[in-house]
């Protein structure tokens, strides 16, 4: 192996390996599947008799340290480490139990012949660029491996169940006189008739009789989705076009003469001369089609060898794994057989080196080989991102960072009880435990309080009984480029509109009066902001009365109930701590009218928070995001004054480091709102839980969901569904085990909530 990633595999043969990732295939729409299949055929057709290639698929165990790295939530000095322990172990269980800790890798190794390293290098480089380009056209993420990465890959394949990290440095070669091989091979390697022993492990190499006809395109992904340690390699040698055409023609001619023989036989026996064996008729058809395709160059003739190596820790486990694989092969109509007395050749050929020492070849054409579609589904694993359960297809963890999207705006949609709240609460927990970000929740049902308490946040229950007051006229002087008074003015305008003219809106005169009064009201405060008390609603009300115009009197009347009447809840100075990282506004106790006002007041608090955090982010070293959860989001979209806020944060929040999430069971209500298009188009993170039939149809159209994907949100279990992360769509299962403290603080099931009391 050379440092560059080129490997000298024979006297004049050199190879290189490209690692590539999965893309959405099994769940894609039929049209998209066809497209991907066609593109995959083009990837294969790029190769010719001078560039043999090998596809290698590796399922191997993760290192314990890798799993820890992914699942462990680092401690912080904030009194929440007990919860961190519980939370990490929830994730770790999923990482290990879901798929036995199996990780999956895909490689393409291609070889060229050359007289020396220099010639090999330039030849390989040219092909590498072309292959990468073809993969890129399919949107398949791919990269060429360096020498160290190729060694590590080989080491990983030969040492599953290991606990050590691969350790190697190029300079060791010159000082020790070792070769690269010495650093990767097993210490012990013994070949028997049908199995191999290496370092206390048991492996066995098998092959499969490949059919010439096209196969189910899910065959390979079915095999690879088995959670066992194995490597599947397919060696492919394209046949020279002239030779291939000749073979195809010969086959066709042979079949033709067989047909004539059969016809003669039939006539002699007194049958109709067209009574031919079905098999012969089929073969003739196939041969004819193949010949035609080859002439058009859309199909190539390929010689393929497939080798599978299973590895386990005991002979019994090995046998079990092999049985699973061979029954999948059976079902697809192939026979899998052990490479008797050829284990050593099997072992060599299984490695992604581009070396094929086996002779169990089979001639296929491009589309038959392409039938081994190596694609299943996208994975969403961004280490350090938030945890969102596991991929329903592969059981791999889902971790994603919403900040890496064009916009981090989110929606969580699902039928009542589908698990929207749970999903949001799990994300909140993750954010609180892993980052320094702040979280604000608008909680009209009062269901977040237990979680807020568990996580040491601040619940602000908006009710006279609770004695918690938030003064809507508190002013934040930290708005950088914006005039704080103007900002406040806008708030008071919305407030007055909501209470005095919700349907018609305010007229120009009224707006003028309000603006004047607001500026006047803050004058005493602005003179001495350090010590003065901010005004309250009553001050504003008094100023309105002083104006003594019909408009101002009318406005004052509308406000009266909020100052001196039964709705005077918002006419108090703030007496709660708003500096907590996690603040939840519970406005369940408020009546309908005050709820609307409360939403407006909250909006103001949200802007306050993001602007403070933006200042911190701009001046300090930490970036502090503000996550805002808006449960029962459809309520906000009902009133024009609050709906306007939703649109505004969906458009502008991102630039302030804000991450908003709307949560609602009413997809129809959401989409009926005038603002819906804006909000849906500007949400790059969408979580769909179980959906009612009508909503499913609407969403399928709006979000272009395939039928197979739709099945994941039709009668879905609680906490199961689809995540849209930008263009990536992943079916997920995000279960919070019910025996945890976190679950107890998150559940909304009546009997469980009361158990907590
Ligand atoms: N991810 C999950 N893991 C475990 N249990 C869940 C999960 N999601 C939902 N559940 C169960 O379903 C119940 C209802 O979930 P949740 O409160 O999140 O529903 P919701 O979608 O917010 O409903 P609503 O629209 O009525 O507010 C939970 O109390 C819990 O028992
Ligand atoms: Mg809910």
């Amino acid at each position: 192996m050379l440092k560059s990633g080129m490997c000298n595999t024979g006297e004049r043969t050199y190879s290189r390996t490209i690692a590539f990732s999965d893309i959405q295939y099994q769940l894609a729409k039929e049209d998209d599947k066809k497209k991907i299949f066609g593109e995959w055929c083009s990837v294969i057709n790029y190769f010719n008799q001078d560039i043999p290639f090998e596809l290698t698929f590796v399922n191997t165990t993760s290192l314990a340290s890798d799993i820890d790295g992914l699942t462990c939530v680092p401690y912080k000095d904030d009194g929440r480490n007990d919860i961190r322990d519980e939370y990490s172990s929830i994730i770790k269980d999923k990482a290990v139990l879901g798929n036995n800790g199996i990780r999956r890798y895909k490689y393409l190794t291609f070889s060229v012949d050359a007289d020396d390293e220099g010639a090999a290098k330039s030849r390989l480089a040219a092909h590498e660029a072309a292959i990468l380009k073809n993969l890129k056209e399919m949107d398949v993420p791919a990269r060429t491996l360096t020498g160290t990465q190729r060694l590590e890959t080989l080491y990983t394949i030969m040492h599953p169940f290991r606990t050590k990290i691969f350790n190697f440095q190029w300079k060791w070669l010159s000082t020790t006189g070792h070769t690269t091989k010495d650093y990767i091979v097993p210490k012990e390697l013994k070949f028997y008739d049908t199995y191999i022993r290496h370092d206390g492990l048991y492996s066995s190499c098998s092959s499969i009789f490949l059919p010439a006809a096209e196969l189910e395109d899910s065959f390979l992904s079915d095999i690879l989705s088995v959670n066992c340690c194995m490597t599947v390699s397919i060696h492919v040698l394209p046949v020279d076009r002239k030779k291939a055409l000749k073979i195809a023609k010969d086959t066709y001619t042979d079949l033709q003469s067989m047909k004539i023989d059969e016809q003669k036989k039939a006539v002699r026996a007194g049958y109709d001369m067209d009574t031919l064996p079905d098999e012969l008729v089929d073969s003739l058809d196939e041969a004819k089609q193949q010949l035609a395709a080859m002439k058009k160059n859309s199909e190539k003739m390929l010689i393929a060898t497939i080798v599978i190596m299973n590895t386990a820790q005991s002979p019994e486990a090995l046998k079990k794994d092999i049985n699973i694989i061979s029954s999948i092969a059976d079902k697809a109509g192939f026979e899998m057989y052990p490479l008797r007395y050829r284990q050593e050749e099997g072992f060599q050929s299984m490695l992604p080196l581009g070396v094929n020492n086996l002779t169990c070849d089979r001639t296929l054409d491009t589309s038959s080989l392409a039938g081994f579609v190596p694609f299943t589904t996208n994975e969403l694993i961004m280490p350090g991102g938030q945890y969102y359960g596991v991929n329903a297809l592969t059981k791999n963890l889902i971790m994603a960072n919403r900040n890496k999207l064009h916009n981090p705006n989110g929606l969580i949609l699902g039928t009542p009880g589908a698990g929207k709240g749970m999903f949001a609460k799990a994300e909140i927990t993750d954010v609180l435990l892993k980052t320094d970000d702040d979280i604000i929740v608008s909680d009209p049902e009062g269901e977040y309080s237990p979680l807020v308490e568990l996580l040491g946040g601040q619940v602000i229950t908006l009710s006279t009984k609770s004695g918690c007051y938030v003064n809507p006229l508190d002013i934040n002087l930290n708005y950088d480029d914006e005039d704080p008074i103007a900002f406040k003015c806008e708030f008071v305008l919305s407030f007055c509109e909501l209470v005095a003219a919700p349907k018609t809106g305010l007229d120009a005169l009224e707006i003028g009066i309000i603006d004047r009064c607001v500026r006047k009201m803050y004058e005493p405060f602005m003179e001495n902001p350090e010590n003065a008390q901010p005004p309250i609603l009553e001050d504003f009300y008094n100023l309105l009365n002083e104006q003594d115009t019909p408009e101002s009197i009318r406005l004052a009347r509308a406000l009266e109930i909020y100052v001196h009447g039964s709705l005077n809840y918002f006419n108090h100075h703030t007496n709660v701590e708003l500096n907590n990282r996690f603040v939840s506004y519970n406005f369940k106790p408020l009546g309908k009218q005050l709820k609307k006002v409360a939403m407006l007041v909250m909006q103001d608090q949200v802007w306050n928070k993001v602007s403070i955090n933006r200042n911190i982010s701009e001046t300090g070293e930490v970036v502090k995001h503000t996550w805002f959860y808006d449960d029962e989001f459809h309520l906000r979209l009902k009133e024009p004054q609050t709906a306007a806020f939703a649109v505004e944060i969906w458009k502008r929040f991102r630039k302030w480091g804000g991450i908003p999430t709307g949560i609602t069971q009413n997809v129809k209500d959401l989409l009926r709102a005038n603002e819906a298009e804006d909000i849906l188009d500007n949400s790059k993170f969408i979580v769909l839980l179980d959906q009612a039939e009508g909503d499913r149809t609407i969403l399928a159209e709006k979000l272009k969901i395939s039928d197979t994907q739709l099945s994941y949100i039709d009668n879905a279990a609680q906490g199961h569904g689809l995540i849209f992360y930008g263009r990536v769509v992943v079916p997920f299962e995000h279960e919070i085990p019910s025996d945890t403290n976190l679950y107890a603080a998150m559940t909304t099931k009546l009997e469980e909530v009361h158990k907590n009391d």
Side-chain angles (χ1 to χ4, degrees), residues 14 47 49 75 108 127 172 335 426 438 577 647 668 674 693 704 726 744:
Y14 296 84
F47 298 93
Q49 69 275 12
Y75 278 0
L108 191 160
H127 295 314
W172 293 347
E335 194 193 328
D438 284 343
E577 186 56 63
V647 173
K668 283 198 202 76
N674 297 331
E693 193 180 334
K704 301 187 176 60

Side-chain angles (χ1 to χ4, degrees), residues 199-410:
D199 295 342
L201 299 173
Y202 296 81
S203 288
S204 176
C205 295
S206 326
S207 187
I208 287 181
F209 280 120
L210 293 174
E214 281 177 37
L215 52 107
E216 275 291 323
D217 58 5
S218 63
F219 173 65
L220 187 60
S221 72
D222 285 348
I223 287 199
L224 297 177
S225 65
V226 178
N227 290 319
C228 63
C229 255
M230 82 182 143
T231 301
V232 178
S233 276
I234 306 172
H235 287 272
V236 185
L237 177 64
V239 180
D240 170 52
R241 184 169 141 80
K242 265 198 210 128
K243 218 184 217 165
L245 268 174
K246 183 167 181 319
I247 296 173
K249 261 187 214 150
D250 287 352
T251 316
Y252 186 59
T253 328
D254 284 352
L255 288 166
Q256 278 283 12
S257 54
M258 271 164 83
K259 179 179 163 186
I260 295 170
D261 286 347
E262 288 290 335
Q263 281 173 332
K264 277 186 195 154
K265 248 196 262 166
V267 171
R268 247 183 272 130
Y271 299 130
D272 181 354
M273 68 183 268
D274 283 333
T275 29
L276 291 170
D278 287 350
E279 231 169 78
L280 181 61
V281 178
D282 290 350
S283 307
L284 250 171
D285 273 355
E286 221 172 79
K288 196 172 168 185
Q289 277 175 21
Q290 199 178 31
L291 187 61
M294 248 166 230
K295 279 185 182 155
K296 274 197 306 200
N297 224 359
S298 61
E299 294 280 350
K300 278 192 177 177
M301 190 177 277
L302 310 162
I303 297 175
T305 304
I306 181 163
V307 51
I308 303 177
M309 183 173 92
N310 278 88
T311 304
Q313 286 169 299
S314 71
E316 296 74 32
L318 181 65
K319 203 165 160 198
K320 200 172 128 232
D321 289 350
I322 293 176
N323 279 343
I324 299 174
I325 309 292
S326 79
S327 72
I328 295 177
D330 261 359
K331 233 184 259 157
F334 319 127
E335 194 193 328
M336 176 164 143
Y337 59 93
L339 290 167
R340 217 168 267 285
Y341 300 106
R342 283 187 293 170
Q343 291 293 315
E344 186 166 358
E345 291 86 338
F347 188 85
Q348 293 158 346
S349 311
M350 163 278 305
L351 295 169
L353 286 167
V355 174
N356 181 6
N357 290 338
L358 284 168
T359 46
C360 26
D361 302 342
R362 179 84 196 177
T363 310
L364 298 176
D365 54 19
T366 306
S367 48
S368 315
L369 180 77
F372 288 97
V373 183
F375 305 114
T376 309
T377 179
N378 299 102
E379 296 288 1
L380 199 51
I381 308 178
M382 304 170 69
Q386 269 58 59
Y387 163 70
Y388 297 111
V390 297
N391 185 320
L393 276 172
T394 60
K395 309 290 179 199
N396 286 330
L397 293 187
I398 301 176
M399 295 206 156
N401 188 341
R402 287 171 62 175
N403 283 310
K404 297 259 160 75
L405 288 164
H406 282 314
N407 69 60
N409 305 344

Side-chain angles (χ1 to χ4, degrees), residues 450-560:
L451 183 70
V452 184
E453 273 149 27
L454 180 74
L455 297 174
Q458 168 82 51
V459 180
I460 296 175
T461 306
L462 303 181
S463 83
T464 330
K465 246 199 201 155
S466 76
C468 290
Y469 294 110
V470 177
N471 176 10
L473 296 185
D474 279 352
I475 190 161
N476 167 18
L477 302 174
N478 280 330
Y479 293 102
D480 273 357
D481 13 322
E482 276 162 83
D483 168 16
I485 306 276
F487 214 80
K488 211 68 218 181
C489 231
E490 250 173 62
F491 165 75
V492 180
L493 280 170
S494 304
F495 177 76
C496 291
E497 186 176 289
L498 184 68
V499 302
K503 294 278 170 300
T504 53
L506 299 166
D507 64 30
L509 267 176
E510 290 166 327
I511 293 175
I513 292 169
I514 295 168
D515 188 72
R516 203 176 330 127
C517 291
V518 172
R519 291 187 186 280
K520 201 147 185 246
M521 171 174 72
Y522 281 106
E523 268 169 19
F525 176 77
M526 293 307 271
E527 273 164 24
N528 183 8
E530 299 286 311
N531 302 314
Q533 283 259 45
I536 57 173
L537 223 43
E538 190 168 354
D539 300 314
F540 180 63
Y541 169 81
N542 292 339
L543 277 171
L544 279 178
N545 274 327
E546 278 170 26
Q547 303 298 303
D548 207 17
T549 65
E551 290 79 16
S552 65
I553 302 286
R554 200 184 75 81
L555 283 170
R557 288 236 176 91
L559 275 179
E560 190 161 319

